Amino acid sequence: MADSLFRMSSSGLLRTSANSSNLQKTLSRSMRPENNVTTLSETLMDTDDSNRGRSRMDVLFTQFFNILQAHTSESETFDVLLSLSLACKAVVEQLQLEIEEGMGGEQGAAHRTASINWLKQEINTWRLLHGIYYDRILVQTDTQADDEMQEGGTLGGSEKMVITQLYAINSTLREYQLVVDWLEASYDGKDAENLLHYHDRMMAWENTLFQLENLQGVAFGKKHEIVTSLDPDAPVRENRPLHALDEEDNMRLGRAIFGAIRRGSIDDALKLCKHYGQTWKAAILEGWRLHEDPNFELGGSLVNEKLPIEGNPRRDVWKRCAWRVADSNRYDVFTRATAGVFSGHLTSLKALPHSNWHDLLWAHIKVQIDIRVESEIREYCTKRYQDMPEDYWNGKMTLEQIFDELNVAKDVSVKDFAKGHLGIIQRHLILDTCGELIQQMVRWLETDISKLSSHQLRFMAHIVLFLRQIGRVENEKMAEKIIASYVEALLARGDAQLIAYYCAPLSNRLQVKLYSQFLEKVEQKRARELAIDSALQAGLDVEQITRFTVENIRHAQYPLGDLGEPHAGEISASDQFKIAALEWLIFLPEQRSELLWQACAMMRIYLASNKIECMRQTFLMVPGDVVTRLIGTVGSLDNLPPREECSLKEYLCYKVYLTGVDSFVEWNCLYKNPPQKPVVIGATSQDNFTERLVCELKQQTYRSELERWEQKVKEEAKQTTEALYNILTFPEKGWLVDPFISKEPANAAQLNWENRQLQMEKLRSICLPEIALLLHEVMSKSGDLVGCVRLADELASEHRQLYKVYTKHQMAELLSKIADTSLELLNSKLDPWGYPITV
């Protein structure tokens, strides 16, 4: 397991400068949080990727996926957060480089800057998650170690020992310190240092000194009243200013010192003081350190070696003086704030100009840590301490009270950030109110999801995934809504791997719904294969998803388009799309039964709509090995489940039907296209032997072709008659009648079993009378009048009871044709049934 992102010092607020520098090394090049972060959805409205830098950010979709894929074990949970922040940081650096190169002009720079501001806040949030939850999950092994535990500090111990023990047992204080460390690591106050003027050798208040030594100087007049002495307290004691240039330098230095403290680097603040010749300020900044005498603790075991004493033995006096400085209006705001940091004076910290939400949060929590540390020292250390002012102790607040105060801050930018998405997310993470955070995210989705960009959804979804992994998700349904919203955003990108991976954490219902939405948009075969492979790798229920996809497409109503209905014998684009959807059920051999079921359902609709070409194309989508596969799955034909047995017979019924219809079309086409008799042009001359010979050859050729045609028509008529009879005399109960099954399938309601039965009965009543008419036509035109009459016997047979599918009108039409055939038989000197008449 990776080390915590924020390494706790042993003394919290009172950590040493060495600890502070280690933290800065861990979080090098941290970024300052911005209050006015542009909404990311506004940043990415433009579609010009190269000019707006959008493509740079879009790589995060794939990178986040790769990171999660690479860290699958629970021991790598916190490594994931570090990797996510590094991925965002790389994008920030690339965007900054593009801004420097001038890509996209001013508008492109503005868009990139907004994206950078967002990503910086995202990076800070990942770091916050890592630091604070590393402690909550891995460090806090004893849930009873809190403020109110019975065990306390060691009575009579040194200040450093007491506070070290306090941090070891008090998880709440440790979390406060982690938040402070995070806020300091995320701060970038280099602008304050850039205002300073560096020289090789610096002297404190050199302009004041020069004026005091040269009172008659031309450059400085006598009218300017300044201090008369140069001790550190002179400006306050004499109530006179320094030289104007020194006053300005003092303000710059004070701002730079506070900036170094704000980012947690006391060493840098000390170096600044020494570099500018104000060593007394450096000495003052050392006064906050906790006192410890190692010689006293060792009890004289090392008699010949005296160890240096740490910290300030009169820290209480120094702290009271620092409070008075912070509370006085006679010092500049940065001097007061610097003193206020170490004395718990909140008012001086809140008075700083241009403070943002993070600065104020840092100030509040620093004060709370200071109060808690001071209380512990005075409770367990035996020495007498100078009393702190009453206002100091009255400054104690809870985290909830701190955030409530930030929500109603006078500064509009602070209040806006507190009520914005990032402020709310960071607040709930600090408070460990993950359930409320997820509820708030869901409200954002339900209120207006259009205002959330795909990157904001990515950010929210990965927070939820992390919270779920560490067991901080209380309401799974709400968590799934957030992840599902991110999946919906990924649908537009069309990356099968990403969509399948982020569908996997969802419930089966959402998996099927969302992934089927993606599959409905995939049309190319290779892309479909990749989509299926990705779903299988992610562990999705591919069989249910593909079935749901095909059913959705099959039941959908698509517009006809500009061309309207296609011509007869053609397939519309919408029908072609529906038929091609059956391909989703071909990839897995175990889905042959489902393919058969869906294809039959589709063919029923096309047959009822008289779209024979669509029906034929649907039939061709079913592989020829379907019967073999089905039997191979269950072992034998007798073991087929009810649904598979019924759909298999229905499929064979359509096969026989298409064969009969195709045979009739071929016969009809052949019958209506006999050889053309050669045209004889007038009487030929007896002397024109050539013309006579040509004419005889044409006649001979015609007779030969006519003979072949008649023979072929006869053979075709025989085949067509047989094919059409196969429909009427289909085995078992007949054409489109289910075989005998002992009971309906268990999921008959989901299969719309009753509706299917009604559809098949309707098709029988439509198709069988038409087939009988076609059969009569073939036999009648081929001269099989006896067969025409015998057709009535077949329809009247009680074995198949075909007469039941007829309406009175249909039966009257057929009987009329059979009656005409009987008349022809009578005219041929045969009885009405075609038998010879015997006297």
Side-chain angles (χ1 to χ4, degrees):
M1 176 62 64
D3 293 338
S4 176
L5 186 62
F6 303 110
R7 298 182 181 277
M8 284 294 303
S9 66
S10 60
S11 56
L13 165 73
L14 311 174
R15 62 183 180 277
T16 62
S17 58
N19 288 331
S20 177
S21 62
N22 286 338
L23 179 62
Q24 296 305 315
K25 292 177 181 178
T26 305
L27 297 178
S28 60
R29 300 183 67 180
S30 298
M31 290 155 280
R32 180 186 178 94
E34 300 291 340
N35 277 326
N36 299 321
V37 179
T38 305
T39 303
L40 197 61
S41 57
E42 299 175 4
T43 306
L44 301 179
M45 289 299 289
D46 199 294
T47 57
D48 189 349
D49 291 358
S50 60
N51 288 336
R52 305 294 180 259
R54 181 176 177 180
S55 58
R56 293 295 181 191
M57 285 193 69
D58 285 353
V59 301
L60 290 175
F61 294 116
T62 304
Q63 288 181 356
F64 273 41
F65 161 72
N66 291 334
I67 289 170
L68 295 184
Q69 284 279 76
H71 301 81
T72 55
S73 66
E74 292 185 2
S75 61
E76 297 176 313
T77 300
F78 291 94
D79 293 341
V80 170
L81 298 178
L82 294 177
S83 299
L84 296 182
S85 64
L86 290 176
C88 294
K89 183 179 178 182
V91 174
V92 168
E93 293 174 350
Q94 187 63 42
L95 290 173
Q96 288 174 336
L97 181 61
E98 291 179 358
I99 292 176
E100 294 173 2
E101 294 175 352
M103 292 184 64
E106 293 183 1
Q107 190 175 7
H111 280 265
R112 285 178 171 83
T113 300
S115 298
I116 288 173
N117 290 337
W118 164 267
L119 288 175
K120 286 180 178 180
Q121 287 293 354
E122 183 176 342
I123 293 170
N124 290 337
T125 307
W126 294 130
R127 289 172 169 173
L128 172 65
L129 267 170
H130 183 283
I132 201 165
Y133 279 100
Y134 185 93
D135 183 83
R136 287 170 179 169
I137 302 300
L138 300 180
V139 178
Q140 296 177 19
T141 56
D142 186 0
T143 57
Q144 301 300 320
D146 54 21
D147 279 332
E148 301 169 359
M149 64 182 299
Q150 295 181 356
E151 298 179 9
T154 302
L155 186 64
S158 68
E159 293 177 350
K160 184 176 181 181
M161 181 186 301
V162 168
I163 299 308
T164 300
Q165 187 173 358
L166 174 65
Y167 269 87
I169 65 176
N170 194 316
S171 60
T172 301
L173 184 63
R174 197 163 59 247
E175 285 188 12
Y176 279 25
Q177 187 61 53
L178 283 168
V179 175
V180 168
D181 291 344
W182 166 66
L183 291 167
E184 290 176 352
S186 302
Y187 179 80
D188 185 7
K190 293 183 179 178
D191 292 341
E193 291 186 35
N194 293 337
L195 296 174
L196 297 174
H197 302 291
Y198 286 95
H199 303 287
D200 292 336
R201 297 182 63 185
M202 303 293 291
M203 181 181 295
W205 303 344
E206 55 186 0
N207 296 291
T208 303
L209 176 63
F210 184 83
Q211 183 170 345
L212 291 177
E213 292 178 347
N214 301 275
L215 295 178
Q216 305 301 322
V218 178
F220 306 98
K222 298 180 181 179
K223 295 181 180 180
H224 297 284
E225 293 291 341
I226 62 173
V227 294
T228 59
S229 57
L230 287 180
D231 61 278
D233 295 326
V236 177
R237 185 182 67 252
E238 298 179 7
N239 197 22
R240 290 185 177 185
L242 299 171
H243 187 276
L245 294 178
D246 289 338
E247 288 285 352
E248 183 178 353
D249 288 343
N250 248 12
M251 181 64 72
R252 289 175 176 173
L253 178 60
R255 181 178 179 183
I257 291 173
F258 180 80
I261 295 172
R262 170 64 181 84
R263 66 175 180 268
S265 179
I266 304 296
D267 281 349
D268 290 347
L270 295 173
K271 290 177 182 178
L272 285 173
C273 294
K274 295 175 182 178
H275 182 78
Y276 281 89
Q278 299 190 22
T279 53
W280 69 87
K281 282 190 176 181
I284 292 173
L285 291 179
E286 293 283 0
W288 58 271
R289 299 190 185 279
L290 297 172
H291 175 251
E292 182 178 46
D293 187 349
N295 302 291
F296 176 79
E297 297 296 333
L298 291 173
S301 59
L302 299 176
V303 179
N304 297 326
E305 181 179 355
K306 185 176 182 179
L307 300 177
I309 298 175
E310 296 182 21
N312 181 5
R314 301 301 301 167
R315 180 178 163 278
D316 56 332
V317 177
W318 176 91
K319 193 177 188 72
R320 186 175 177 87
C321 293
W323 172 273
R324 295 180 62 183
V325 170
D327 201 46
S328 174
N329 293 326
R330 303 176 69 182
Y331 297 91
D332 64 85
V333 291
F334 292 106
T335 300
R336 292 180 59 197
T338 301
V341 169
F342 300 110
S343 62
H345 192 275
L346 182 60
T347 304
S348 61
L349 294 171
K350 292 168 65 176
L352 285 171
H354 311 299
S355 293
N356 57 34
W357 185 86
H358 293 87
D359 293 334
L360 292 177
L361 178 62
W362 174 81
H364 278 86
I365 299 182
K366 286 282 282 186
V367 168
Q368 299 312 307
I369 294 175
D370 191 279
I371 295 173
R372 184 67 184 87
V373 167
E374 198 66 29
S375 299
E376 192 78 5
I377 289 174
R378 292 168 186 262
E379 182 176 357
Y380 289 100
C381 294
T382 56
K383 63 183 290 186
R384 293 180 59 86
Y385 288 92
Q386 288 288 326
D387 293 334
M388 291 296 291
E390 190 68 25
D391 289 344
Y392 174 82
W393 302 109
N394 292 337
K396 191 171 183 180
M397 300 173 66
T398 64
L399 276 177
E400 290 79 4
Q401 291 173 328
I402 292 174
F403 285 116
D404 289 341
E405 185 171 322
L406 295 179
N407 286 341
V408 295
K410 294 181 180 179
D411 192 324
V412 177
S413 63
V414 175
K415 186 163 55 177
D416 288 346
F417 186 88
K419 295 181 178 180
H421 292 175
L422 286 166
I424 291 174
I425 290 173
Q426 292 175 2
R427 181 187 77 208
H428 284 297
L429 293 178
I430 293 171
L431 293 175
D432 198 20
T433 52
C434 301
E436 295 179 19
L437 172 59
I438 293 176
Q439 290 178 11
Q440 184 63 58
M441 288 180 176
V442 171
R443 280 195 288 271
W444 295 338
L445 297 175
E446 294 174 348
T447 303
D448 193 356
I449 193 173
S450 61
K451 292 183 179 179
L452 297 173
S453 72
S454 55
H455 285 282
Q456 289 170 311
L457 293 173
R458 168 187 54 77
F459 177 53
M460 291 162 54
H462 284 83
I463 289 178
V464 171
L465 288 171
F466 171 74
L467 294 178
R468 173 189 271 185
Q469 191 166 5
I470 63 174
R472 284 295 201 273
V473 173
E474 300 171 0
N475 191 321
E476 282 292 336
K477 289 185 177 180
M478 287 190 174
E480 285 189 344
K481 284 184 179 180
I482 299 169
I483 302 173
S485 298
Y486 178 50
V487 174
E488 290 175 351
L490 291 175
L491 293 178
R493 298 181 58 80
D495 191 319
Q497 279 190 314
L498 268 67
I499 296 170
Y501 181 82
Y502 290 102
C503 276
L506 302 175
S507 62
N508 182 264
R509 179 183 62 84
L510 284 175
Q511 287 181 8
V512 172
K513 176 186 175 183
L514 293 174
Y515 206 71
S516 65
Q517 287 181 13
F518 165 62
L519 296 187
E520 289 177 21
K521 300 177 182 179
V522 181
E523 299 183 21
Q524 300 299 324
K525 183 174 182 179
R526 179 55 183 162
R528 289 182 169 183
E529 291 175 350
L530 292 175
I532 294 295
D533 289 341
S534 299
L536 291 172
Q537 292 175 8
L540 302 183
D541 189 346
V542 175
E543 294 187 24
Q544 188 176 356
I545 290 171
T546 50
R547 182 181 71 248
F548 191 76
T549 302
V550 173
E551 288 181 347
N552 281 348
I553 295 175
R554 180 164 60 85
H555 293 136
Q557 297 294 328
Y558 298 101
L560 294 176
D562 298 334
L563 300 178
E565 285 285 356
H567 298 293
E570 295 180 358
I571 303 177
S572 67
S574 60
D575 286 331
Q576 187 64 55
F577 180 67
K578 290 183 178 182
I579 296 169
L582 291 173
E583 189 177 31
W584 288 117
L585 303 172
I586 296 177
F587 297 111
L588 300 181
E590 54 267 28
Q591 284 194 282
R592 286 293 188 266
S593 62
E594 186 63 38
L595 171 63
L596 200 59
W597 181 263
Q598 296 293 342
C600 288
M602 199 174 290
M603 285 189 282
R604 283 198 300 271
I605 300 300
Y606 287 139
L607 182 54
S609 305
N610 200 28
K611 296 181 177 180
I612 302 301
E613 281 302 316
C614 293
M615 179 186 176
R616 181 178 290 107
Q617 190 67 30
T618 304
F619 182 85
L620 294 175
M621 288 295 295
V622 180
D625 65 345
V626 62
V627 178
T628 306
R629 289 279 187 180
L630 283 178
I631 296 175
T633 303
V634 298
S636 68
L637 191 61
D638 296 332
N639 295 330
L640 282 176
R643 190 189 77 155
E644 283 70 16
E645 186 177 359
C646 293
S647 59
L648 180 57
K649 181 182 178 182
E650 186 180 356
Y651 167 77
L652 296 176
C653 288
Y654 294 134
K655 181 178 182 180
V656 170
Y657 181 85
L658 288 173
T659 302
V661 171
D662 291 345
S663 182
F664 175 82
V665 171
E666 292 178 7
W667 169 83
N668 193 45
C669 182
L670 183 64
Y671 181 81
K672 292 183 178 181
N673 292 279
Q676 296 296 320
K677 187 176 182 179
V679 180
V680 180
I681 305 175
T684 58
S685 172
Q686 293 293 331
D687 298 330
N688 196 337
F689 175 77
T690 303
E691 290 182 2
R692 255 193 351 265
L693 183 59
V694 170
C695 183
E696 289 177 1
L697 286 175
K698 286 182 179 180
Q699 290 291 338
Q700 185 178 357
T701 301
Y702 167 71
R703 287 190 296 270
S704 298
E705 290 180 353
L706 181 61
E707 186 178 342
R708 285 196 298 270
W709 173 82
E710 289 175 347
Q711 182 63 27
K712 192 171 184 180
V713 167
K714 184 178 179 180
E715 293 174 357
E716 195 67 40
K718 183 179 179 181
Q719 294 177 5
T720 302
T721 301
E722 184 179 352
L724 294 175
Y725 254 118
N726 287 339
I727 300 174
L728 295 178
T729 61
F730 199 85
E732 297 186 17
K733 293 184 177 182
W735 188 77
L736 283 189
V737 178
D738 285 336
F740 173 78
I741 52 177
S742 57
K743 59 181 180 178
E744 293 182 348
N747 56 343
Q750 298 177 0
L751 298 174
N752 295 319
W753 195 263
E754 293 183 1
N755 186 46
R756 172 180 173 274
Q757 296 289 339
L758 293 174
Q759 289 177 351
M760 292 171 64
E761 290 177 8
K762 187 64 176 177
L763 286 175
R764 279 171 57 83
S765 65
I766 294 174
C767 298
L768 291 180
E770 291 179 352
I771 293 298
L773 290 175
L774 296 179
L775 183 57
H776 182 277
E777 181 181 352
V778 173
M779 291 188 295
S780 176
K781 291 181 178 180
S782 62
D784 187 6
L785 301 180
V786 176
C788 293
V789 177
R790 290 178 180 173
L791 179 60
D793 294 335
E794 191 63 44
L795 298 178
S797 172
E798 289 295 331
H799 179 62
R800 292 183 179 84
Q801 298 180 345
L802 296 177
Y803 60 87
K804 290 185 176 181
V805 304
Y806 278 82
T807 63
K808 291 183 178 181
H809 175 75
Q810 291 172 332
M811 185 61 74
E813 181 182 6
L814 179 61
L815 291 178
S816 176
K817 292 181 178 295
I818 293 176
D820 293 339
T821 304
S822 295
L823 288 176
E824 291 186 32
L825 289 173
L826 290 173
N827 293 333
S828 302
K829 297 181 181 181
L830 297 173
D831 65 7
W833 292 275
Y835 294 102
I837 299 175
T838 58
V839 180

